[in-house]
Amino acid sequence: MMNITTSYLTRAELWLYITTLAYFLMNGAQLFETLVFVPKWTEAPPDNFRLLLDGRGASLKNFWIVFHSLHEITFILAIIFCWKIDFARNWLLALFAVHFAVRVWTLAFFAPNIINFQKIAETHAVVKDLAAKTARWQTLNYLRVAIFIAVSIGLIPLCVRLFNLRHS
């Protein structure tokens, strides 16, 4: 580890704590959505898909775009401000890689499917195996949320170790 000042450690700690807090807030929103909202719109497809429509339902698109963007900025800032601390940099890069992979999965699978479900609600189109597709989305969403929670839990030992580094 390079020569690191107390000021550097303080900034590193601050950004790590901010991104950890943001991650846990995001997890809270994800858990609420997964346990309360998703079961409502998935229980009777396509009838309940109207809950997904902008202006007529609880479309959360803008919320998630803003929340993920802000969180990812804080995550990148945590990496930048922890860069000189080898263990922190390496652990943050590993966690960010997992986070990024799940975000790519989200953009490649979850978002397009939600858009399709919204189109079905608007057009009343008949889709083969819709109940199975909806159930698959819901089941994979449990896995996605679990991975996001695991990443946030992975930040805790890093926070503790960084705190101990500055306060030892």
Side-chain angles (χ1 to χ4, degrees):
M1 194 161 45
M2 302 173 152
N3 186 14
I4 296 175
T5 65
T6 303
S7 175
Y8 185 90
L9 282 173
T10 300
R11 283 191 305 276
E13 251 184 311
L14 175 67
W15 283 105
L16 180 59
Y17 293 161
I18 288 171
T19 200
T20 302
L21 175 63
Y23 223 121
F24 275 95
L25 290 171
M26 185 176 70
N27 287 338
Q30 287 177 329
L31 283 172
F32 174 81
E33 184 179 66
T34 298
L35 299 175
V36 176
F37 184 62
V38 172
K40 293 287 185 207
W41 68 261
T42 59
E43 74 182 352
D47 296 335
N48 285 358
F49 284 179
R50 67 185 174 348
L51 296 171
L52 300 171
L53 297 177
D54 290 331
R56 291 175 283 183
S59 176
L60 300 172
K61 176 178 68 175
N62 292 335
F63 170 81
W64 285 117
I65 288 170
V66 170
F67 207 136
H68 276 292
S69 298
L70 290 174
H71 171 259
E72 284 159 2
I73 289 167
T74 66
F75 207 136
I76 291 167
L77 286 170
I79 293 169
I80 290 168
F81 282 101
C82 291
W83 195 257
K84 292 181 184 178
I85 308 164
D86 294 342
F87 72 86
R89 177 191 63 233
N90 295 340
W91 192 241
L92 282 169
L93 287 171
L95 290 173
F96 191 78
V98 173
H99 170 85
F100 186 78
V102 177
R103 289 288 288 131
V104 168
W105 183 31
T106 297
L107 296 172
F109 175 77
F110 293 97
N113 277 286
I114 285 288
I115 291 167
N116 287 335
F117 295 150
Q118 289 171 326
K119 287 178 184 173
I120 292 167
E122 291 170 341
T123 63
H124 306 289
V126 177
V127 177
K128 184 179 177 184
D129 300 325
L130 184 58
K133 289 176 182 179
T134 305
R136 179 174 179 232
W137 190 100
Q138 185 176 21
T139 301
L140 291 175
N141 186 57
Y142 291 135
L143 177 60
R144 176 177 65 148
V145 171
I147 295 169
F148 277 134
I149 290 170
V151 170
S152 63
I153 290 171
L155 290 168
I156 295 171
L158 186 55
C159 287
V160 170
R161 188 166 174 196
L162 198 58
F163 178 84
N164 288 338
L165 183 64
R166 188 164 74 91
H167 297 285
S168 58

